[in-house]
Amino acid sequence: MKTIHSINKWSFIITLILYTTVIGGLLAQMALGVIQVVLGVIILFHWKKLSTKTKRHLLMYWFIVLTYGLLWATNMFNTWKTSSMVMDPYILFICIIPMLIASYSVYITYQSKININEFKPSYI
């Protein structure tokens, strides 16, 4: 789980750095989303090792990700798109909400890393 958290944390940090150029950040954000979904599936394979609190967070994460994905699939976000992108709610849905979901994923991987390491004997 240390490796999963490290990959997630550094992918998130690199995405934030690339947001200094908006286009780079948006492209990195798409890659970050793929990475985090794959890592989320990997964490599901360790379900029995997770604490109840981490399981709840993971279920909430998947609910949020699936809801967000369904909104994109139904093209719901494009109904709010206007001609001027200044102070547009569309920016909220394309930039800010995905990064909030990503930060929640980093938190979950951190919690799962701590949780699973607690079960290891001290001599390992």
Side-chain angles (χ1 to χ4, degrees):
M1 283 298 171
K2 279 184 179 179
T3 307
I4 289 175
H5 177 64
S6 293
I7 291 169
N8 200 5
K9 177 180 70 176
W10 285 108
S11 300
F12 184 76
I13 290 169
I14 289 169
T15 302
L16 286 176
I17 291 170
L18 287 173
Y19 256 110
T20 57
T21 66
V22 176
I23 300 299
L26 288 173
L27 293 174
Q29 184 176 309
M30 288 188 284
L32 175 66
V34 171
I35 290 169
Q36 288 187 334
V37 166
V38 169
L39 293 178
V41 170
I42 292 171
I43 292 173
L44 286 175
F45 287 115
H46 297 282
W47 183 260
K48 291 182 181 180
K49 298 178 187 176
L50 300 175
S51 70
T52 306
K53 179 182 174 184
T54 306
K55 287 178 183 179
R56 281 191 214 131
H57 283 297
L58 193 58
L59 288 174
M60 180 61 74
Y61 169 76
W62 280 111
F63 175 76
I64 293 168
V65 167
L66 292 174
T67 302
Y68 186 80
L70 286 173
L71 287 173
W72 270 108
T74 59
N75 217 10
M76 181 67 74
F77 294 132
N78 283 337
T79 58
W80 292 332
K81 195 173 182 180
T82 61
S83 60
S84 87
M85 292 293 283
V86 178
M87 300 301 285
D88 195 359
Y90 189 70
I91 293 172
L92 175 74
F93 294 108
I94 199 170
C95 299
I96 297 171
I97 290 178
M99 290 306 288
L100 290 173
I101 295 171
S103 63
Y104 190 49
S105 175
V106 172
Y107 172 75
I108 292 170
T109 57
Y110 175 74
Q111 286 296 319
S112 63
K113 175 186 86 163
I114 289 174
N115 189 316
I116 290 180
N117 287 340
E118 287 176 357
F119 292 117
K120 287 186 179 179
S122 60
Y123 57 85
I124 292 181

